[in-house]
Amino acid sequence: MAKIVVALGGNALGNSPSEQLNLVKSTAASLVNLITLGHQIVISHGNGPQVGAINLGMNFAAEHGQNAAFPLPECGAMSQGYIGYHLQQSLENELRAQQMKQQVVSLVTQVVVDSQDPAFMKPTKPVGAFYSQQQAQKIAADKGYTFIEDAGRGYRQVVASPIPQSIVELNSINQLIESGAVVIACGGGGIPVVQQDNGWQGVPAVIDKDRSSALLAANLKADQLIILTAVDQVYLNYNQPNQQALSQLTVSQAQQYIQEKQFAPGSMLPKIEACLDFVQSGPHRTALITSLAHLDKALAHQTGTILQQEETQK
């Protein structure tokens, strides 16, 4: 039996509660299939669209006198509960349908970051909805937000994305796993907190969920990290006439391709870097990048990209 951390992309979870609940039903079936194969799984997820929508909605209500403004860490916590609720409900329903008795637990998770991380001086992490350039300029002028153009899809707000250092609730996650529960943790990369004289304090940032997932997987001594994204596998020269699929990558190969700037900074690069962090964190650890729709085929080595140490490649 392998211990696997599965990282779901936030963009795969829909743009509304009804859409998300519908999508996670099929997600649950694929994840439960891992359990039926005998694996022990821990689930993390993104929250970019969700936390941005919550933050924008709360701020809009505050501006119209309906409630106080909600800081980004609190919005992150809300997104963990909202997404976790849908995931755990769908997983529980699928487990019951297959006459399996595991409990599913969503754990609101804090992740420690360095208050001096240079990322706080240069926001890069997209959150929330897509806007036209004109809409983005107006919101930026009104609220002081920073926007960037995101892969030809429009403009999105960006916030700081510091490097995760440690997971506050790690012992609780371990205890839940040992009890036999399926755990959902580090949602949205975790709520970013820094150490103060009086304890933890949340900070306005969004941690990259793949980096937090890699940290979680390493700390749990997992055998594999699976990152589920929009493409079935990693490609060289992506979307170009000489595009080339990669079924396997060693650490040295991945590092070479990073130097060649083969992986886009806003999409595949952080996933490759997270996989490298995990694979190098201990012996015999592998990472798999694929899409949710192709997960079964990837597990059968029919698609997907496996990252591994040199000595483990056959």
Side-chain angles (χ1 to χ4, degrees), residues 10-11 14-15 20 46-60 70-80 82-83 125-131 139 143 145 147 156-159 188 205-206:
N11 287 312
N15 296 307
Q20 177 172 288
N47 73 342
Q50 295 82 1
V51 73
I54 292 169
N55 186 236
L56 188 64
M58 288 295 182
N59 285 344
F60 180 85
F70 273 67
L72 195 57
E74 280 71 12
C75 294
M78 290 180 186
S79 74
Q80 283 192 5
Y82 155 48
I83 298 169
K125 185 67 175 175
V127 298
F130 291 92
Y131 297 94
I139 296 170
K143 302 180 184 295
Y145 293 171
F147 284 84
R156 294 179 78 187
Q157 181 190 354
V158 287
V159 298
V206 173

Side-chain angles (χ1 to χ4, degrees), residues 113-126:
V113 300
D114 184 349
S115 61
Q116 301 303 310
D117 192 309
F120 286 109
M121 302 300 295
K122 187 179 180 182
T124 59
K125 185 67 175 175

Side-chain angles (χ1 to χ4, degrees), residues 59 103 208 251 255 294:
N59 285 344
Q103 292 234 309
D208 182 84
V251 169
Q255 291 170 338
H294 291 86

Side-chain angles (χ1 to χ4, degrees), residues 107-113 165-173 186 190-195 200-201 215-216 219:
L107 188 65
V108 174
T109 315
Q110 302 171 92
V111 174
V112 181
V113 300
Q165 304 292 324
S166 61
I167 298 165
V168 176
E169 289 80 16
L170 182 64
N171 287 340
S172 297
I173 295 169
C186 290
I191 303 163
V193 297
V194 296
Q195 179 72 61
W200 305 118
Q201 179 178 320
L215 179 66
L216 176 64
N219 288 346

Side-chain angles (χ1 to χ4, degrees), residues 46-246:
N47 73 342
Q50 295 82 1
V51 73
I54 292 169
N55 186 236
L56 188 64
M58 288 295 182
N59 285 344
F60 180 85
E63 290 167 2
H64 291 78
Q66 300 301 308
N67 58 251
F70 273 67
L72 195 57
E74 280 71 12
C75 294
M78 290 180 186
S79 74
Q80 283 192 5
Y82 155 48
I83 298 169
Y85 155 62
H86 279 175
L87 282 170
Q88 78 179 50
Q89 183 183 82
S90 297
L91 285 163
E92 286 168 348
N93 289 341
E94 184 66 26
L95 286 164
R96 298 296 87 78
Q98 299 198 31
Q99 299 182 336
M100 302 173 75
K101 297 181 179 179
Q102 284 96 330
Q103 292 234 309
V104 185
V105 178
S106 301
L107 188 65
V108 174
T109 315
Q110 302 171 92
V111 174
V112 181
V113 300
D114 184 349
S115 61
Q116 301 303 310
D117 192 309
F120 286 109
M121 302 300 295
K122 187 179 180 182
T124 59
K125 185 67 175 175
V127 298
F130 291 92
Y131 297 94
S132 68
Q133 185 175 16
Q134 184 178 5
Q135 289 172 320
Q137 289 172 340
K138 184 178 187 307
I139 296 170
D142 292 344
K143 302 180 184 295
Y145 293 171
T146 301
F147 284 84
I148 63 166
E149 197 279 326
D150 189 349
R153 297 175 292 180
Y155 287 77
R156 294 179 78 187
Q157 181 190 354
V158 287
V159 298
S161 182
I163 300 296
Q165 304 292 324
S166 61
I167 298 165
V168 176
E169 289 80 16
L170 182 64
N171 287 340
S172 297
I173 295 169
N174 264 315
Q175 290 169 10
L176 287 165
I177 293 169
E178 289 170 4
S179 75
V182 177
V183 183
I184 302 164
C186 290
I191 303 163
V193 297
V194 296
Q195 179 72 61
Q196 301 286 351
D197 292 340
N198 60 348
W200 305 118
Q201 179 178 320
V203 290
V206 173
I207 304 170
D208 182 84
K209 74 98 174 43
D210 295 316
R211 287 194 178 276
S212 288
S213 300
L215 179 66
L216 176 64
N219 288 346
L220 294 177
K221 296 180 172 58
D223 301 290
Q224 187 172 54
L225 169 66
I226 297 178
I227 294 181
L228 298 177
T229 185
V231 293
D232 58 338
Q233 58 191 130
V234 179
Y235 293 88
L236 297 180
N237 307 310
Y238 183 62
N239 268 347
Q240 297 178 34
N242 59 340
Q243 174 176 292
Q244 177 186 345
L246 298 173

Side-chain angles (χ1 to χ4, degrees), residues 16-32:
S16 68
S18 59
E19 183 182 358
Q20 177 172 288
L21 188 57
N22 186 55
L23 285 170
V24 297
K25 289 176 182 177
S26 60
T27 301
S30 295
L31 295 178
V32 169

